[in-house]
Amino acid sequence: MPRKSSITLLSVGHACVDVYQGAVASLVPFFVAERAYSYAAVSGIVLAASLLSSVTQPVFGAITDRWAVPWLLPVSTLIGGVGIALSGISGSYALTLVFVAISGVGVAAYHPESARVARLVSRGSHSSMAWFSLGGNVGFALAPLMIAAVVATGGLRFTPLLVLPALAGTVLCLPVLRALERGKAAGAAGRAPVGADDRASFVKLSLAVVCRSIVFIGLSTFISLYATQRMHGSSAAGTAALFVLYAGGAVGSVLGGNLANRWDRVTVSRWSYLLTAGAVAGVVFVPGPALYLFVALTSAGLYIPFSLQVTLGQDYLPSRVGTASGITLGLTVSVGGLVSPLIGAVADAASLRTALMPLILMPALCWLFFRTLPEPEVPRPGAAAPETREDPDAELITSRSDHR
């Protein structure tokens, strides 16, 4: 299978999984409207989606380092979809937490193995990994539209229809897995780069991703309610703000991969976070429709480094690519959900604006961490000479794949 076709299928499959991460925040206004949940209660639902995901991400990453488990892609996609599909059919808060947590486990199982497969297929190309990450951003962006189309039409009892993207994602990943299996049998699989682990840099990178996660999850949980307040009670305004937050990430992901081909990943990420700090301040303080502009800038700024952080983590820990992927793509991203109940509690006690103010500091902390990070010098991933000759695109992708 041509590399572009494989990356395209993996990207669409990624969208079919991450739509369920976005669906959790998108369901928050409907839980508030139909079940009269408080800010703290809906924050608990976001926490349920994040908690098991946070705990299990490193486990699945370690598994993928020890064994190749490509069957996790279709299975985890189904689990992620089924959990969200069941979340609205019971009025029980406890059952809602359980179903959302099950979905979180499915999402957790998907990301380390999918990142390993995407790296293998892309041979370490920043641009290809950016397109893979783009799929997840598109899934996030489509989540509020999907929820609005299904749940706003028939209420929470219509959530079983939300399993359809999972069924599509399960089917789409199968051709890629079959192609990888044939390539492995023919001895055509690319080799991962080798090198010494830089654990200190990986820890700093992980702390930066945690700070990024707090901003993104905090905003994705409450931006809909915040925009509704700012726009005088319009639920459409809240849905639009959440869509902009997710859609801006799609632009940022592709832009990040292209910028990294001109400058190094650390430099691109560092400046992106510095600009994001100002954008978050605009979201919190600037009144009127300008809110949407600052939401878009915040989203793009948070997602320009996203795929770059994944490949940086893999290059800092070349002997544990699965673990690095599980942490940078999953665990540290999920940690932001652990802070959501605190934001909700502050919002209940004071105001939503007050609760969102500390988020301005998070991108600044990311900038400080990236100031201390080196750009790793690693061998370029790719196939041996005979395999390069067999694949006419291999030399082009290898020559563009990053470390300029």
Side-chain angles (χ1 to χ4, degrees), residues 122-296:
S122 69
R123 298 185 181 180
S125 165
H126 289 334
S127 298
S128 294
M129 287 298 289
W131 283 105
F132 169 70
S133 296
L134 171 65
N137 306 145
V138 171
F140 266 107
L142 291 178
L145 302 181
M146 179 183 72
I147 297 300
V150 174
V151 181
T153 300
L156 290 171
R157 69 180 186 277
F158 272 35
T159 56
L161 293 175
L162 300 178
V163 77
L164 293 176
L167 298 177
T170 300
V171 172
L172 289 171
C173 71
L174 297 180
V176 179
L177 300 185
R178 285 196 295 266
L180 282 177
E181 188 62 28
R182 287 194 299 268
K184 181 180 178 181
R191 293 189 296 269
V194 294
D197 290 345
D198 184 353
R199 297 184 180 180
S201 293
F202 183 77
V203 170
K204 294 176 184 177
L205 174 69
S206 299
L207 291 173
V209 181
V210 166
C211 293
R212 177 209 172 273
S213 171
I214 292 172
V215 179
F216 183 76
I217 300 297
L219 287 177
S220 65
T221 303
F222 294 106
I223 193 64
S224 180
L225 296 171
Y226 187 57
T228 298
Q229 290 180 2
R230 296 280 295 275
M231 299 301 166
H232 310 293
S234 170
S235 60
T239 299
L242 193 58
F243 173 76
V244 170
L245 180 68
Y246 292 161
V251 175
S253 291
V254 175
L255 183 60
N258 291 329
L259 290 175
N261 288 330
R262 177 169 296 186
W263 297 283
D264 65 80
R265 292 167 288 180
V266 171
T267 298
V268 171
S269 300
R270 183 172 66 244
W271 283 104
S272 178
Y273 280 128
L274 185 61
L275 295 174
T276 302
V280 177
V283 171
V284 175
F285 293 113
V286 175
L291 167 73
Y292 295 104
L293 172 62
F294 287 104
V295 170

Side-chain angles (χ1 to χ4, degrees), residues 315-403:
D315 289 344
Y316 287 141
L317 292 184
S319 69
R320 291 180 171 86
V321 169
T323 299
S325 302
I327 292 175
T328 56
L329 194 60
L331 171 63
T332 48
V333 174
S334 302
V335 166
L338 306 181
V339 182
S340 292
L342 178 60
I343 298 175
V346 173
D348 285 330
S351 70
L352 198 47
R353 172 178 283 186
T354 301
L356 295 178
M357 285 180 185
L359 299 183
I360 300 171
L361 299 177
M362 296 296 104
L365 290 177
C366 295
W367 175 74
L368 288 175
F369 283 122
F370 267 90
R371 288 195 65 189
T372 66
L373 288 177
E375 178 70 22
E377 295 291 337
V378 297
R380 292 178 179 177
E387 297 159 10
T388 302
R389 287 194 296 268
E390 291 173 8
D391 184 349
D393 293 332
E395 183 177 350
L396 174 63
I397 287 186
T398 302
S399 68
R400 296 173 59 189
S401 71
D402 314 328
H403 305 291

